[in-house]
Amino acid sequence: MNQITLDSSAIVKIKDLLADVEAKGLKLRIYVSGGGCSGFQYGFTFDDTQNEDDFIVDQDEVSLLVDAHSMQYLTGSVIGYKTSLMGSQFEIKNPA
């Protein structure tokens, strides 16, 4: 099973965001926090540091960093970018 897959909308958005900040070596970090009654929350940030327990997912010249704890919840997921009247955001589609 693939670890994480980016769809074309996410790849385009990540490349656009990286071009805006004009910083070399930045990668998109995806993480999972929370749990319990409130459920899990997904977070996205740019990071230039790879930690020892990070997984790197490379696809179409885009690199993601995912820590080992978060990877267990994201394995098999597809990440996209959605724009609607309510706003724009990355979305994660977990496997069924």
Side-chain angles (χ1 to χ4, degrees):
M1 177 181 285
N2 293 338
Q3 291 181 350
I4 296 174
T5 303
L6 295 167
D7 75 11
S8 60
S9 65
I11 291 168
V12 168
K13 185 61 178 179
I14 294 167
K15 286 180 178 180
D16 286 349
L17 290 170
L18 286 171
D20 286 347
V21 296
E22 297 180 8
K24 302 230 183 257
L26 282 181
K27 296 171 181 58
L28 182 65
R29 178 175 293 282
I30 302 172
Y31 57 92
V32 176
S33 60
C37 296
S38 62
F40 292 109
Q41 299 292 315
Y42 299 106
F44 299 87
T45 188
F46 285 107
D47 199 342
D48 61 357
T49 303
Q50 178 184 345
N51 298 319
E52 210 172 282
D53 70 335
D54 284 340
F55 289 85
I56 298 179
V57 178
D58 290 314
Q59 186 179 333
D60 293 335
E61 301 175 13
V62 171
S63 295
L64 303 177
L65 295 174
V66 184
D67 64 87
H69 170 77
S70 298
M71 184 58 87
Q72 66 183 331
Y73 300 107
L74 294 169
T75 297
S77 296
V78 176
I79 298 172
Y81 191 79
K82 180 174 128 181
T83 301
S84 70
L85 294 175
M86 301 299 291
S88 301
Q89 64 185 10
F90 286 102
E91 63 178 357
I92 297 175
K93 296 175 189 165
N94 291 338

Coordinates of all heavy atoms in Angstrom, one line a residue:
M1 N 0.8 -1.2 0.0 CA 0.0 0.0 0.0 C 0.9 1.2 0.0 O 1.9 1.3 0.7 CB -0.9 0.0 1.3 CG -1.8 1.2 1.4 SD -2.8 1.2 2.8 CE -4.0 0.1 2.4
N2 N 0.5 2.2 -0.8 CA 1.3 3.5 -0.8 C 1.2 4.2 0.5 O 0.1 4.1 1.1 CB 0.7 4.4 -1.9 CG 1.0 3.9 -3.3 OD1 1.9 3.0 -3.5 ND2 0.2 4.3 -4.3
Q3 N 2.2 4.8 0.9 CA 2.2 5.6 2.2 C 1.2 6.7 2.1 O 0.2 6.7 2.8 CB 3.5 6.1 2.5 CG 4.5 5.0 2.9 CD 5.9 5.6 3.3 OE1 6.2 6.7 3.1 NE2 6.7 4.7 3.8
I4 N 1.4 7.7 1.2 CA 0.5 8.8 1.0 C 0.6 9.2 -0.4 O 1.7 9.2 -1.0 CB 0.9 10.0 1.9 CG1 0.8 9.7 3.4 CG2 0.1 11.3 1.6 CD1 1.4 10.7 4.3
T5 N -0.5 9.6 -1.0 CA -0.5 10.0 -2.4 C -1.0 11.5 -2.5 O -2.0 11.8 -1.8 CB -1.4 9.1 -3.3 OG1 -0.9 7.8 -3.2 CG2 -1.4 9.5 -4.7
L6 N -0.4 12.3 -3.3 CA -0.9 13.6 -3.6 C -1.6 13.6 -4.9 O -1.1 13.1 -5.9 CB 0.3 14.6 -3.7 CG 1.1 14.8 -2.4 CD1 2.4 15.5 -2.8 CD2 0.4 15.6 -1.4
D7 N -2.8 14.2 -4.9 CA -3.4 14.3 -6.2 C -2.9 15.6 -6.9 O -2.2 16.4 -6.3 CB -5.0 14.3 -6.2 CG -5.6 15.5 -5.6 OD1 -5.0 16.6 -5.5 OD2 -6.9 15.4 -5.3
S8 N -3.3 15.8 -8.2 CA -2.7 16.9 -9.0 C -3.0 18.3 -8.4 O -2.2 19.2 -8.4 CB -3.1 16.8 -10.4 OG -4.6 16.9 -10.5
S9 N -4.2 18.4 -7.8 CA -4.6 19.7 -7.2 C -3.7 20.1 -6.0 O -3.3 21.2 -5.8 CB -6.0 19.7 -6.7 OG -6.3 18.8 -5.7
A10 N -3.3 19.1 -5.2 CA -2.4 19.3 -4.1 C -1.0 19.7 -4.5 O -0.3 20.5 -4.0 CB -2.4 18.1 -3.1
I11 N -0.5 18.9 -5.6 CA 0.8 19.2 -6.1 C 0.9 20.6 -6.6 O 1.9 21.4 -6.3 CB 1.2 18.2 -7.2 CG1 1.3 16.8 -6.5 CG2 2.4 18.6 -7.9 CD1 1.4 15.6 -7.5
V12 N -0.1 21.1 -7.4 CA -0.1 22.4 -7.9 C -0.1 23.4 -6.8 O 0.7 24.4 -6.8 CB -1.3 22.6 -8.9 CG1 -1.5 24.1 -9.2 CG2 -1.1 21.8 -10.1
K13 N -0.9 23.2 -5.8 CA -1.0 24.2 -4.7 C 0.3 24.3 -3.9 O 0.7 25.4 -3.5 CB -2.2 23.9 -3.8 CG -2.4 24.9 -2.7 CD -2.7 26.3 -3.3 CE -3.0 27.3 -2.3 NZ -3.3 28.6 -2.9
I14 N 0.9 23.1 -3.6 CA 2.1 23.1 -2.8 C 3.2 23.8 -3.6 O 4.0 24.7 -3.0 CB 2.5 21.7 -2.5 CG1 1.5 21.1 -1.5 CG2 3.9 21.6 -1.9 CD1 1.7 19.6 -1.4
K15 N 3.3 23.6 -4.9 CA 4.3 24.3 -5.7 C 4.1 25.8 -5.7 O 5.0 26.6 -5.6 CB 4.3 23.7 -7.1 CG 5.0 22.3 -7.2 CD 5.0 21.8 -8.7 CE 5.6 20.5 -8.8 NZ 5.6 20.0 -10.1
D16 N 2.8 26.2 -5.8 CA 2.5 27.6 -5.8 C 2.9 28.2 -4.4 O 3.4 29.3 -4.4 CB 1.0 27.8 -6.0 CG 0.5 27.6 -7.4 OD1 1.4 27.5 -8.3 OD2 -0.7 27.5 -7.7
L17 N 2.6 27.6 -3.4 CA 2.9 28.1 -2.0 C 4.4 28.2 -1.8 O 4.9 29.2 -1.3 CB 2.3 27.2 -0.9 CG 0.8 27.3 -0.8 CD1 0.3 26.2 0.2 CD2 0.3 28.7 -0.3
L18 N 5.1 27.2 -2.3 CA 6.6 27.3 -2.2 C 7.2 28.4 -3.0 O 8.1 29.0 -2.6 CB 7.2 25.9 -2.6 CG 7.0 24.8 -1.5 CD1 7.4 23.5 -2.1 CD2 7.7 25.1 -0.2
A19 N 6.6 28.6 -4.2 CA 7.1 29.7 -5.1 C 6.9 31.0 -4.4 O 7.7 32.0 -4.5 CB 6.4 29.6 -6.4
D20 N 5.7 31.2 -3.7 CA 5.4 32.4 -3.0 C 6.4 32.8 -1.9 O 6.7 33.9 -1.7 CB 4.0 32.4 -2.4 CG 2.9 32.5 -3.4 OD1 3.2 32.9 -4.6 OD2 1.7 32.2 -3.1
V21 N 6.9 31.7 -1.1 CA 7.8 32.0 0.0 C 9.2 32.1 -0.5 O 10.1 32.5 0.3 CB 7.6 31.0 1.1 CG1 6.2 31.1 1.7 CG2 7.9 29.6 0.7
E22 N 9.5 31.6 -1.7 CA 10.9 31.7 -2.3 C 11.9 31.1 -1.3 O 13.0 31.7 -1.2 CB 11.2 33.1 -2.7 CG 10.3 33.7 -3.8 CD 10.7 35.1 -4.1 OE1 11.7 35.6 -3.7 OE2 9.9 35.7 -4.9
A23 N 11.6 30.0 -0.7 CA 12.6 29.4 0.2 C 13.0 28.0 -0.3 O 12.1 27.2 -0.6 CB 12.0 29.3 1.6
K24 N 14.3 27.8 -0.4 CA 14.7 26.5 -0.9 C 14.8 25.5 0.2 O 15.1 25.9 1.4 CB 16.1 26.7 -1.5 CG 16.1 27.7 -2.7 CD 16.8 27.1 -3.9 CE 16.9 28.1 -5.0 NZ 16.0 27.9 -6.0
G25 N 14.5 24.3 -0.1 CA 14.6 23.2 0.9 C 13.4 23.1 1.8 O 13.4 22.2 2.7
L26 N 12.4 23.9 1.6 CA 11.1 23.7 2.5 C 10.4 22.5 1.9 O 10.3 22.3 0.7 CB 10.2 24.9 2.4 CG 10.6 26.1 3.3 CD1 9.6 27.2 3.1 CD2 10.8 25.7 4.7
K27 N 9.7 21.8 2.9 CA 8.9 20.7 2.6 C 7.6 20.9 3.3 O 7.5 21.5 4.4 CB 9.5 19.4 3.0 CG 10.8 19.0 2.2 CD 11.5 17.9 2.9 CE 12.8 17.5 2.2 NZ 13.8 18.6 2.1
L28 N 6.5 20.3 2.8 CA 5.2 20.4 3.5 C 5.2 19.3 4.6 O 5.4 18.2 4.3 CB 4.1 20.2 2.5 CG 2.7 20.3 3.2 CD1 2.4 21.7 3.7 CD2 1.6 19.9 2.2
R29 N 5.0 19.7 5.8 CA 4.8 18.8 6.9 C 3.4 18.6 7.2 O 2.6 19.5 7.4 CB 5.5 19.3 8.2 CG 5.4 18.3 9.4 CD 6.2 18.7 10.6 NE 7.6 18.6 10.3 CZ 8.3 17.5 10.4 NH1 7.7 16.4 10.6 NH2 9.6 17.5 10.2
I30 N 3.0 17.3 7.3 CA 1.6 17.0 7.6 C 1.6 16.2 8.9 O 2.5 15.3 9.1 CB 1.0 16.1 6.5 CG1 1.0 16.8 5.2 CG2 -0.5 15.7 6.9 CD1 0.6 15.9 4.0
Y31 N 0.8 16.6 9.9 CA 0.8 15.9 11.2 C -0.6 15.7 11.7 O -1.6 16.4 11.3 CB 1.6 16.7 12.2 CG 1.2 18.1 12.4 CD1 0.2 18.5 13.4 CD2 1.6 19.2 11.6 CE1 -0.2 19.8 13.6 CE2 1.2 20.5 11.7 CZ 0.3 20.8 12.7 OH -0.1 22.1 12.9
V32 N -0.8 14.8 12.6 CA -2.1 14.5 13.2 C -1.9 14.8 14.7 O -0.9 14.4 15.3 CB -2.4 13.0 13.0 CG1 -3.7 12.6 13.7 CG2 -2.5 12.7 11.5
S33 N -2.9 15.5 15.2 CA -2.9 15.8 16.6 C -4.3 15.5 17.2 O -5.3 15.3 16.5 CB -2.5 17.2 16.9 OG -3.4 18.1 16.3
G34 N -4.4 15.4 18.5 CA -5.7 15.2 19.1 C -6.0 13.8 19.3 O -5.1 12.9 19.4
G35 N -7.3 13.5 19.3 CA -7.8 12.2 19.5 C -8.8 12.3 20.6 O -9.3 13.4 21.0
G36 N -9.2 11.2 21.2 CA -10.2 11.2 22.2 C -11.6 11.7 21.7 O -12.0 11.5 20.6
C37 N -12.3 12.4 22.6 CA -13.6 12.8 22.3 C -13.7 13.8 21.1 O -14.7 13.8 20.4 CB -14.3 13.5 23.5 SG -14.5 12.4 24.9
S38 N -12.7 14.7 21.0 CA -12.7 15.7 19.9 C -12.2 15.2 18.6 O -12.3 15.9 17.6 CB -11.9 16.9 20.3 OG -10.6 16.5 20.5
G39 N -11.7 13.9 18.5 CA -11.2 13.4 17.3 C -9.9 13.9 16.9 O -9.3 14.7 17.6
F40 N -9.4 13.5 15.7 CA -8.1 13.9 15.2 C -8.2 15.2 14.4 O -9.2 15.4 13.8 CB -7.5 12.8 14.4 CG -7.2 11.5 15.1 CD1 -7.9 10.4 15.0 CD2 -6.1 11.5 16.0 CE1 -7.6 9.2 15.7 CE2 -5.8 10.4 16.7 CZ -6.5 9.2 16.6
Q41 N -7.2 15.9 14.5 CA -7.0 17.1 13.7 C -5.8 17.0 12.8 O -4.8 16.5 13.3 CB -6.9 18.4 14.6 CG -8.0 18.6 15.5 CD -9.3 19.1 14.8 OE1 -9.2 19.9 13.9 NE2 -10.4 18.5 15.1
Y42 N -5.9 17.4 11.6 CA -4.8 17.4 10.7 C -4.2 18.7 10.6 O -4.9 19.7 10.5 CB -5.2 16.9 9.2 CG -5.8 15.5 9.2 CD1 -7.2 15.4 9.0 CD2 -5.0 14.4 9.3 CE1 -7.7 14.1 9.0 CE2 -5.5 13.1 9.2 CZ -6.9 13.0 9.1 OH -7.5 11.7 9.0
G43 N -2.9 18.8 10.6 CA -2.2 20.1 10.5 C -1.2 20.1 9.3 O -0.7 19.0 8.9
F44 N -1.0 21.3 8.8 CA -0.1 21.4 7.6 C 0.8 22.6 7.9 O 0.3 23.7 8.3 CB -0.9 21.7 6.3 CG -1.8 20.6 5.9 CD1 -3.1 20.5 6.4 CD2 -1.4 19.6 5.1 CE1 -3.9 19.5 6.1 CE2 -2.2 18.6 4.7 CZ -3.5 18.5 5.2
T45 N 2.1 22.5 7.7 CA 3.0 23.6 7.9 C 4.2 23.3 7.0 O 4.5 22.2 6.6 CB 3.5 23.7 9.4 OG1 4.2 24.9 9.5 CG2 4.3 22.6 9.9
F46 N 5.0 24.4 6.7 CA 6.2 24.2 6.0 C 7.4 24.0 6.9 O 7.4 24.7 8.0 CB 6.5 25.3 5.0 CG 5.6 25.2 3.8 CD1 4.5 26.1 3.6 CD2 5.8 24.2 2.8 CE1 3.7 26.0 2.5 CE2 5.0 24.1 1.7 CZ 3.9 25.0 1.5
D47 N 8.3 23.2 6.6 CA 9.4 22.9 7.5 C 10.7 22.6 6.7 O 10.6 22.0 5.6 CB 9.1 21.6 8.3 CG 9.9 21.5 9.6 OD1 11.0 22.2 9.7 OD2 9.5 20.7 10.5
D48 N 11.8 23.1 7.2 CA 13.1 22.8 6.5 C 13.9 21.8 7.2 O 15.1 21.5 6.8 CB 13.9 24.1 6.2 CG 14.2 24.8 7.5 OD1 13.8 24.4 8.6 OD2 14.9 25.9 7.4
T49 N 13.4 21.3 8.3 CA 14.1 20.3 9.1 C 13.5 18.9 9.1 O 12.3 18.8 9.3 CB 14.2 20.8 10.6 OG1 14.7 22.1 10.7 CG2 15.0 19.8 11.5
Q50 N 14.3 17.9 8.8 CA 13.8 16.6 8.8 C 14.2 15.9 10.1 O 15.4 15.9 10.4 CB 14.4 15.8 7.6 CG 13.9 14.3 7.6 CD 14.6 13.5 6.5 OE1 15.1 14.1 5.6 NE2 14.4 12.2 6.6
N51 N 13.3 15.5 10.9 CA 13.6 14.8 12.1 C 13.9 13.3 11.9 O 13.6 12.8 10.9 CB 12.4 14.9 13.1 CG 12.0 16.4 13.4 OD1 12.9 17.2 13.6 ND2 10.8 16.7 13.4
E52 N 14.5 12.7 12.9 CA 15.0 11.4 12.8 C 13.9 10.4 12.5 O 14.1 9.4 11.8 CB 15.7 11.0 14.1 CG 16.8 10.0 13.9 CD 17.6 9.8 15.2 OE1 18.4 10.6 15.5 OE2 17.3 8.7 15.8
D53 N 12.7 10.6 13.0 CA 11.6 9.7 12.8 C 10.6 10.0 11.7 O 9.6 9.4 11.5 CB 10.7 9.5 14.1 CG 9.9 10.8 14.4 OD1 10.3 11.9 14.0 OD2 8.9 10.7 15.1
D54 N 11.0 11.0 10.9 CA 10.2 11.5 9.8 C 10.2 10.5 8.6 O 11.3 10.0 8.2 CB 10.6 12.9 9.3 CG 10.2 14.0 10.2 OD1 9.2 13.8 11.0 OD2 10.7 15.1 10.0
F55 N 9.1 10.4 8.0 CA 9.0 9.7 6.6 C 9.0 10.8 5.6 O 8.5 11.9 5.8 CB 7.7 8.9 6.5 CG 7.6 7.7 7.3 CD1 7.2 7.8 8.6 CD2 8.0 6.5 6.8 CE1 7.1 6.6 9.4 CE2 7.9 5.3 7.6 CZ 7.5 5.4 8.9
I56 N 9.7 10.6 4.5 CA 9.6 11.5 3.4 C 8.8 10.9 2.2 O 9.1 9.8 1.9 CB 11.0 11.9 2.9 CG1 11.8 12.6 4.0 CG2 11.0 12.8 1.7 CD1 13.2 12.9 3.6
V57 N 7.9 11.7 1.7 CA 7.1 11.2 0.6 C 7.4 12.2 -0.5 O 7.1 13.4 -0.4 CB 5.6 11.2 0.9 CG1 4.8 10.8 -0.3 CG2 5.3 10.3 2.1
D58 N 8.0 11.7 -1.6 CA 8.4 12.5 -2.8 C 7.5 12.1 -3.9 O 7.3 11.0 -4.2 CB 9.8 12.3 -3.2 CG 10.8 12.8 -2.2 OD1 10.7 13.9 -1.8 OD2 11.8 12.1 -1.9
Q59 N 6.9 13.2 -4.5 CA 6.0 13.0 -5.7 C 6.0 14.2 -6.5 O 5.7 15.3 -6.0 CB 4.6 12.6 -5.2 CG 3.7 12.3 -6.3 CD 2.3 11.9 -5.8 OE1 2.1 11.5 -4.7 NE2 1.3 12.1 -6.7
D60 N 6.4 14.1 -7.8 CA 6.3 15.2 -8.8 C 7.0 16.4 -8.3 O 6.5 17.5 -8.3 CB 4.9 15.5 -9.2 CG 4.2 14.4 -10.0 OD1 5.0 13.6 -10.6 OD2 3.0 14.3 -9.9
E61 N 8.2 16.3 -7.8 CA 9.1 17.4 -7.3 C 8.5 18.1 -6.1 O 8.9 19.2 -5.8 CB 9.3 18.4 -8.4 CG 9.9 17.8 -9.7 CD 10.0 18.8 -10.8 OE1 9.8 20.0 -10.6 OE2 10.3 18.4 -11.9
V62 N 7.7 17.4 -5.3 CA 7.2 17.9 -4.1 C 7.5 16.9 -3.0 O 7.4 15.7 -3.2 CB 5.6 18.1 -4.1 CG1 5.0 18.4 -2.8 CG2 5.2 19.2 -5.1
S63 N 8.0 17.4 -1.8 CA 8.3 16.5 -0.7 C 7.5 16.8 0.5 O 7.3 18.0 0.8 CB 9.8 16.7 -0.4 OG 10.6 16.3 -1.4
L64 N 7.0 15.7 1.1 CA 6.2 15.8 2.3 C 7.0 15.2 3.5 O 7.8 14.3 3.3 CB 4.9 15.0 2.2 CG 3.9 15.3 1.1 CD1 2.8 14.3 1.2 CD2 3.4 16.7 1.3
L65 N 6.9 15.8 4.6 CA 7.4 15.2 5.8 C 6.3 14.8 6.7 O 5.3 15.5 6.9 CB 8.3 16.2 6.6 CG 9.5 16.8 5.9 CD1 10.1 17.9 6.8 CD2 10.5 15.6 5.7
V66 N 6.4 13.5 7.3 CA 5.4 13.0 8.1 C 6.1 12.3 9.3 O 6.9 11.4 9.0 CB 4.4 12.0 7.4 CG1 3.3 11.6 8.3 CG2 3.8 12.7 6.1
D67 N 5.8 12.6 10.5 CA 6.4 12.0 11.6 C 5.8 10.6 11.8 O 4.7 10.3 11.3 CB 6.2 12.8 12.9 CG 4.8 12.9 13.3 OD1 4.3 12.0 14.0 OD2 4.2 13.9 12.9
A68 N 6.5 9.7 12.5 CA 6.1 8.3 12.6 C 4.7 8.1 13.2 O 3.9 7.3 12.8 CB 7.1 7.5 13.4
H69 N 4.4 8.9 14.3 CA 3.1 8.9 14.9 C 2.0 9.2 13.9 O 1.0 8.5 13.9 CB 3.1 9.9 16.1 CG 1.7 10.0 16.7 ND1 1.1 9.1 17.5 CD2 0.8 11.0 16.5 CE1 -0.1 9.5 17.9 NE2 -0.3 10.7 17.3
S70 N 2.2 10.3 13.2 CA 1.1 10.7 12.2 C 1.0 9.7 11.0 O -0.1 9.5 10.5 CB 1.4 12.1 11.7 OG 1.4 13.0 12.7
M71 N 2.1 9.1 10.6 CA 2.1 8.2 9.5 C 1.1 7.0 9.7 O 0.4 6.6 8.8 CB 3.5 7.7 9.1 CG 3.5 6.8 7.9 SD 2.9 7.6 6.4 CE 4.4 8.4 5.8
Q72 N 1.0 6.6 10.9 CA 0.1 5.4 11.2 C -1.3 5.8 10.9 O -2.1 4.9 10.6 CB 0.3 4.9 12.6 CG -0.2 5.9 13.7 CD 0.1 5.4 15.1 OE1 0.1 4.2 15.3 NE2 0.3 6.3 16.0
Y73 N -1.7 7.0 11.0 CA -3.1 7.5 10.7 C -3.2 7.9 9.2 O -4.4 8.1 8.8 CB -3.5 8.6 11.6 CG -3.4 8.2 13.1 CD1 -2.4 8.7 13.9 CD2 -4.4 7.3 13.6 CE1 -2.4 8.3 15.2 CE2 -4.3 6.9 14.9 CZ -3.3 7.4 15.7 OH -3.2 7.0 17.0
L74 N -2.2 8.2 8.5 CA -2.2 8.7 7.2 C -1.9 7.7 6.1 O -2.1 8.0 4.9 CB -1.3 9.9 7.1 CG -1.7 11.1 7.9 CD1 -0.5 12.1 7.9 CD2 -2.9 11.7 7.3
T75 N -1.4 6.5 6.5 CA -1.0 5.5 5.5 C -2.2 5.2 4.6 O -3.3 4.9 5.1 CB -0.4 4.3 6.2 OG1 0.7 4.6 6.9 CG2 -0.1 3.2 5.2
G76 N -1.9 5.3 3.3 CA -3.0 4.9 2.3 C -3.8 6.1 1.9 O -4.7 6.0 1.1
S77 N -3.6 7.3 2.5 CA -4.5 8.4 2.3 C -4.1 9.1 1.0 O -3.0 9.0 0.5 CB -4.3 9.5 3.4 OG -4.8 8.9 4.6
V78 N -5.1 9.9 0.4 CA -4.8 10.7 -0.7 C -5.1 12.1 -0.3 O -6.1 12.5 0.3 CB -5.8 10.4 -1.9 CG1 -5.6 11.3 -3.1 CG2 -5.6 8.9 -2.3
I79 N -4.1 13.0 -0.6 CA -4.2 14.4 -0.2 C -4.5 15.2 -1.4 O -3.9 15.1 -2.4 CB -2.9 14.9 0.5 CG1 -2.7 14.1 1.8 CG2 -3.0 16.4 0.8 CD1 -1.4 14.3 2.4
G80 N -5.6 16.1 -1.3 CA -6.0 16.9 -2.4 C -6.1 18.4 -1.9 O -5.8 18.6 -0.7
Y81 N -6.4 19.3 -2.8 CA -6.7 20.6 -2.4 C -8.0 21.0 -3.0 O -8.2 20.9 -4.2 CB -5.6 21.6 -3.0 CG -5.6 22.9 -2.4 CD1 -5.2 23.2 -1.1 CD2 -6.2 24.0 -3.1 CE1 -5.3 24.5 -0.6 CE2 -6.3 25.3 -2.6 CZ -5.8 25.5 -1.3 OH -5.9 26.8 -0.8
K82 N -8.9 21.5 -2.2 CA -10.3 21.8 -2.6 C -10.6 23.3 -2.5 O -10.2 23.9 -1.4 CB -11.2 21.0 -1.8 CG -12.7 21.2 -2.1 CD -13.5 20.2 -1.2 CE -14.5 20.9 -0.5 NZ -15.3 20.1 0.4
T83 N -11.2 23.9 -3.5 CA -11.6 25.3 -3.4 C -13.1 25.3 -3.6 O -13.7 24.7 -4.5 CB -11.0 26.1 -4.6 OG1 -9.6 26.0 -4.4 CG2 -11.4 27.6 -4.5
S84 N -13.8 26.0 -2.7 CA -15.3 26.1 -2.8 C -15.7 27.5 -2.3 O -14.9 28.3 -1.9 CB -15.9 25.0 -1.9 OG -15.7 25.3 -0.6
L85 N -17.0 27.7 -2.3 CA -17.5 29.0 -1.8 C -17.2 29.2 -0.3 O -17.1 30.3 0.2 CB -19.0 29.0 -2.0 CG -19.5 29.1 -3.4 CD1 -21.0 29.0 -3.5 CD2 -19.0 30.3 -4.1
M86 N -16.9 28.1 0.4 CA -16.6 28.2 1.8 C -15.1 28.4 2.1 O -14.7 28.7 3.2 CB -17.0 26.9 2.5 CG -18.5 26.5 2.4 SD -19.6 27.8 3.2 CE -19.2 27.5 4.9
G87 N -14.3 28.4 1.0 CA -12.9 28.6 1.2 C -12.1 27.6 0.5 O -12.6 26.7 -0.2
S88 N -10.8 27.6 0.8 CA -9.9 26.6 0.2 C -9.1 25.9 1.3 O -8.7 26.5 2.2 CB -8.9 27.3 -0.8 OG -9.6 28.0 -1.8
Q89 N -8.8 24.6 1.0 CA -8.1 23.9 2.0 C -7.6 22.6 1.5 O -8.1 22.1 0.5 CB -8.9 23.6 3.3 CG -10.1 22.7 3.0 CD -11.0 22.5 4.2 OE1 -10.9 23.2 5.2 NE2 -11.9 21.6 4.1
F90 N -6.5 22.1 2.1 CA -6.1 20.7 1.8 C -7.1 19.8 2.4 O -7.7 20.1 3.5 CB -4.7 20.4 2.4 CG -3.6 21.1 1.7 CD1 -3.0 22.3 2.2 CD2 -3.1 20.6 0.5 CE1 -2.0 22.9 1.5 CE2 -2.1 21.2 -0.2 CZ -1.5 22.4 0.3
E91 N -7.3 18.7 1.7 CA -8.2 17.7 2.3 C -7.6 16.3 2.2 O -6.8 16.0 1.3 CB -9.6 17.7 1.6 CG -9.5 17.3 0.1 CD -10.9 17.3 -0.6 OE1 -11.9 17.5 0.1 OE2 -10.9 17.0 -1.8
I92 N -7.9 15.5 3.2 CA -7.3 14.2 3.3 C -8.4 13.2 3.2 O -9.4 13.2 3.9 CB -6.6 14.0 4.7 CG1 -5.4 15.0 4.7 CG2 -6.1 12.5 4.8 CD1 -4.6 15.0 6.0
K93 N -8.2 12.3 2.2 CA -9.2 11.2 2.0 C -8.5 9.9 2.5 O -7.6 9.4 1.9 CB -9.5 11.1 0.5 CG -10.2 12.3 0.0 CD -10.4 12.1 -1.5 CE -10.9 13.5 -2.1 NZ -10.8 13.5 -3.5
N94 N -9.0 9.4 3.6 CA -8.5 8.2 4.2 C -9.0 7.0 3.5 O -10.2 7.0 3.0 CB -8.8 8.1 5.7 CG -8.1 9.2 6.5 OD1 -7.1 9.7 6.1 ND2 -8.6 9.5 7.7
P95 N -8.3 5.9 3.5 CA -8.8 4.7 2.9 C -10.0 4.1 3.6 O -10.1 4.3 4.8 CB -7.6 3.7 2.9 CG -6.7 4.3 4.0 CD -6.9 5.7 4.1
A96 N -10.8 3.5 2.9 CA -12.0 2.9 3.5 C -11.7 1.7 4.4 O -10.8 1.1 4.3 CB -13.0 2.6 2.4

